[in-house]
Amino acid sequence: MAGLRISPIPKKDKVRLVVNGREVVACRGESVLAALIASGYVKLRIAPGSGEGRGAFCGMGVCYDCLVTINGRPNERACMAQVEDGMEIAIDE
Amino acid sequence: MLPHTADTVIIGGGVIGASIAYYLSKKKVRAVLLEQGELVSGTSSACGGLIFLQSKKTGAHLALALESKKRFAGLNEELGAEIEYRNEGGLIIVEKEEELQSIDCHIAREKKLGLEVSFLDRQEARELEPCLSENFVAAVHCPLDGQVNPIYLSLAFLEAAKRSGVKVFPLTRVTDIGLGEGRVESVITCRGKIATPIIINAAGVNAPDVGKMVKTKIPIIPRRGQVVVTETGPQLLKRGLISAKYLEVKQAAGLGEAQEAGTSAEQTMSGNFLLGATREFVGFDKRTTWKAMKTIVYRATQLIPGLKDLHIIRTFAGLRPYTPDGLPILGKVTGIDGLIIAAGHEGDGICLAPITGELIADLVTEGRTDFELGDFALDRFEEKRDGRLED
Amino acid sequence: MSKLAYEVAIVGSGLAGIAAACKLAEYGVKVVVMDENIHIGGQFLRRCPTTRKASFTDVMDLMRKKGFKLITLAKEKNVAIMNRTKVLAISDQNELLVEDNEKKISTIRPQIILLATGARERFLPFKGWTLPGVFSTGAIQSLVKSFGVLPSREIFVGGSGPFLFTVAWELLQQRGRVMSIIEQKHLMDSLPPSGLLFFNASRFLQSACQIARIVFARVPVRYATKIVEARGRYRLEQVVTSKVDRLGRAVPGTEKIYSSEALAVGHGFTPNIELAQVAGCEIESDTTKGGWVVRVDQTLETSVENVFAAGEITGIGGAPKSLNEGNIAALSILRRLGKEVEKSVFSRHQKKRERLLCFARYFNSLHMSSDEIIKAIPDETLICRCENVTIKEINMAIQQGHNTLGALRKALRIGMGNCQGRICTPIVRDLIHIHAKATKEEDNEILPASTRIPVKPLAIKSLLD
């Protein structure tokens, strides 16, 4: 899904992430959540209790619905984490 | 509205008061339960859910626990509520060689009393609980140990008691007890007075305050136990576990400060881990401390490395009602007819709640119990067997 | 463990925090500002470095301009800034435990603490509000303003309060398409009293500009309409709305279904009081201030000595109030540190604060959901997103006597999940209040549930490193 970025990522700011083994291009300095959404990843996890799919909701570190695994650290908030080149992200699919 | 009279008044809305209320209701006693705060808002809502037999003092304490344990199996159905009871067994983890000897003695004594326990080497223990690390030397397994949700247990007792006619009043503080000719006559509360021939002091850490109203010294002191709660994690730990150090501190008499109180760990039905523990004498301070959180987590991850992938979401602290000899105080109060005490269970309140409720209910209706309560009498603490304060 | 000698530690880098930091730094006070977010500036001062464009309405926005100036100033004045830093605890010696951007844990022991932890959004839950694709208005704002990312090319906006229009306007500014704005209040109930217009002219002018932009873009604005349901298999596909009567009850036969991949919802704000609770500060309950707020005196000191509070946590009031209180708190702290502060400056800010508090009451009233609209939430609607507790379960438990937040937590595990009740508590509080009114016990104050350390979840890995 292209076109969710308001302006293209400047060349010098391009970083590469790996989401569930697939390469994703992100913009230096942005949140992991922004990178995921810009690449079309909206559903991020399966809620343990209900088995429902969940994605980011509050977007400001409060609700803990955007939990993903970042570089092997499980249950990190995508909205509060900042992208880094080579970062590995795992989400529930 | 508070009733004017009652057959029995229970002071305390924790697991002990709730259990007594339930067993009294089964005997059709017109009981009233009074709680100064919210129901189940004190120690019973701030503890783990381990039902451990192998941690009890060998003797009457263990015998009492064995009786209590028998009652748990049918409680879910009996109370008509989910209490998350499981009987998967429990482990004592021996972390150091030098702890082996005292553990050996402990097991021998337990076996003598008929408790089924078996000694496991590290490999055997790790077969039972694959999440365990290599940082220990041996373990003791008892298949009778189990777990329960302490809050659900307390609430279920209360709801069942209410259904059978017990009147329950939260936010009702007892301010005085009316005496007449050496026996109790009434309870005076912030909301009015109830005339009653029998009063049960099940006020846990606040039991001494109730004792003061009738000039009786009750040697219960609050002992803070801090617990760390993790987010829900994958099913790692099937059984509850405590370390040998935990057992040693638990059973040691005396008022030593024990920030280093050994490890306890359990995974609840919802998947959260409850990690303990501390045993601190800090008065009624229920705050949790950074230092304790760190120590608890450090020790727990030594045994269960898989915890490192989880987040701590909360801590809490409960005030355990400590008694000088580690045994609860159960039975009639000598010299004051109609006054019964059931308090001071320290960390064993959840495990001992069913039997405590049943025995105290027997005491109320029959005046006696089948189980010998002599070892738990209040006057064991008085040299002259005279429970009165001098003032 | 670093123990740098900061005289003042400020938690939160929104307008209140950053304004206080600048003022303190002007007087040579050593200040550190901590914020959990990637960018400092809080929710109000979000700006994407790659997509910023000044427009007519942006220039109108004096408050934002002031804010950005303050951030620049703070940097010039050598205010220490720690972004992506969580404050996990405040001890009784006013020592802060923090986890920094490298997940390292350290302690900071300043002489004085200023809490400026801001607010979070509150929500009126509806069926399907947990579907991926349903976002808070704040989430959308942060995605668009801070990172230049749209959640979808077309966005549906709904809920209550002026923030809906602000977010819609921002989406339009960034070339997003706003499908519709759904406001549950009736238009007549949203209009400001004329007295307020006079003193807050610039604010209303700014709103008017935003609305003009929205009308110009031909975005349908529907008052007296609420979101009934979000539908979709794996993510949001449809939004169902319904007209509501003056009390907020759905009008039968007015349901409409829209296709949408992104929905922004918000129903006002509530203060982030948790860190203040852990610090031991007294909390008071005031619905005209947005719920539970930190109790402060005239100088903005809390009930704990040397702990001050400013901005949304003393009562929701928007950017001007935060800026004003940041200044007042700084002046009070300067006095406490023994610096000379002109009395007249102090009283000028104080006077202004009183005016702003009047405005705040009106502002908060725009967000209040009527009892009827809360009662109309269907039984199966999830309230606690973490522990999956429905409104029916909560209402039943309240009726059985579990009529406090503490009791509901025990009976239903509500608020025991990762968010520790931050999302569901405002609505649960309303449910308790509605029940109390029905049983004539509404004089009993509803207390927040206790908060213990860590204030936010903490990775065990961080603790052990």
Side-chain angles (χ1 to χ4, degrees), chain B residues 54 88-95 100 118-142 236-243 303-305:
Chain B
Q54 34 175 352
E88 301 284 355
L91 290 172
I92 296 175
I93 305 288
V94 186
E95 288 167 290
L100 275 174
S118 48
F119 190 85
L120 310 177
D121 64 22
R122 188 163 60 202
Q123 205 42 49
E124 291 167 324
R126 294 186 68 205
E127 271 163 35
L128 278 186
E129 292 290 354
C131 70
L132 288 173
S133 69
E134 302 249 333
N135 299 323
F136 66 103
V137 287
V140 187
H141 176 241
C142 172
L236 286 180
L237 193 63
K238 208 170 163 197
R239 301 160 184 79
L241 62 84
I242 60 175
S243 67
L303 290 177
I304 310 168

Side-chain angles (χ1 to χ4, degrees), chain B residues 6 17 22 49 68 87 91 98 106 134 147 165 197 209 212 235 240 264 289 311 318 324 358 364:
Chain B
Y22 169 68
S68 205
N87 185 190
L91 290 172
E98 56 263 37
H106 185 70
E134 302 249 333
Q147 281 162 266
D209 290 343
K212 269 183 209 153
Q235 181 67 46
S264 68
T289 63
H311 287 75
E358 192 176 306
V364 169

Side-chain angles (χ1 to χ4, degrees), chain A residues 29-52:
Chain A
E30 73 183 357
S31 70
V32 169
L33 178 64
L36 288 169
I37 297 225
S39 308
Y41 294 102
V42 175
K43 188 188 110 181
L44 302 179
R45 66 183 191 113
I46 308 284
S50 62
E52 285 180 328

Side-chain angles (χ1 to χ4, degrees), chain B residues 48-63:
Chain B
L50 296 180
I51 304 169
F52 257 52
L53 296 175
Q54 34 175 352
S55 66
K56 302 296 171 274
K57 291 204 166 184
T58 43
H61 200 206
L62 178 56

Side-chain angles (χ1 to χ4, degrees), chain A residues 3-4 6-7 30-31 42 49-50 52-54 56-58 60-62 64-65 67 73 76-77 80-82, chain C residues 36-38 43 51 84 103 130 132-134 136 139 147-148 150 153 174 235 385 388 418-419 456-457 459 462:
Chain A
L4 292 179
I6 294 158
S7 50
E30 73 183 357
S31 70
V42 175
S50 62
E52 285 180 328
R54 293 280 172 91
F57 177 63
C58 82
M60 50 187 76
V62 177
Y64 289 80
D65 254 330
L67 300 180
R73 290 174 72 109
E76 293 288 330
R77 290 170 294 175
M80 289 285 129
Q82 201 166 12
Chain C
E36 199 179 357
N37 285 276
I38 293 173
Q43 190 65 17
T51 61
R84 291 173 64 208
K103 312 254 178 212
T130 52
V134 179
S136 78
F147 307 116
L150 292 165
R153 275 288 159 193
Q174 304 294 352
R235 58 174 289 180
R385 298 168 66 100
N388 302 307
N418 277 333
C419 93
K456 289 275 177 98
S462 302

Side-chain angles (χ1 to χ4, degrees), chain B residues 115-184:
Chain B
L115 184 65
E116 193 187 333
V117 283
S118 48
F119 190 85
L120 310 177
D121 64 22
R122 188 163 60 202
Q123 205 42 49
E124 291 167 324
R126 294 186 68 205
E127 271 163 35
L128 278 186
E129 292 290 354
C131 70
L132 288 173
S133 69
E134 302 249 333
N135 299 323
F136 66 103
V137 287
V140 187
H141 176 241
C142 172
L144 282 178
D145 292 341
Q147 281 162 266
V148 73
N149 182 322
I151 296 173
Y152 287 180
L153 173 69
S154 312
L155 291 174
F157 272 139
L158 282 174
E159 284 305 318
K162 272 162 58 178
R163 282 198 299 273
S164 305
V166 174
K167 298 269 181 285
V168 175
F169 295 92
L171 305 175
T172 308
R173 178 191 289 275
V174 173
T175 53
D176 205 359
I177 287 173
L179 293 178
E181 293 171 17
R183 58 171 303 115
V184 298

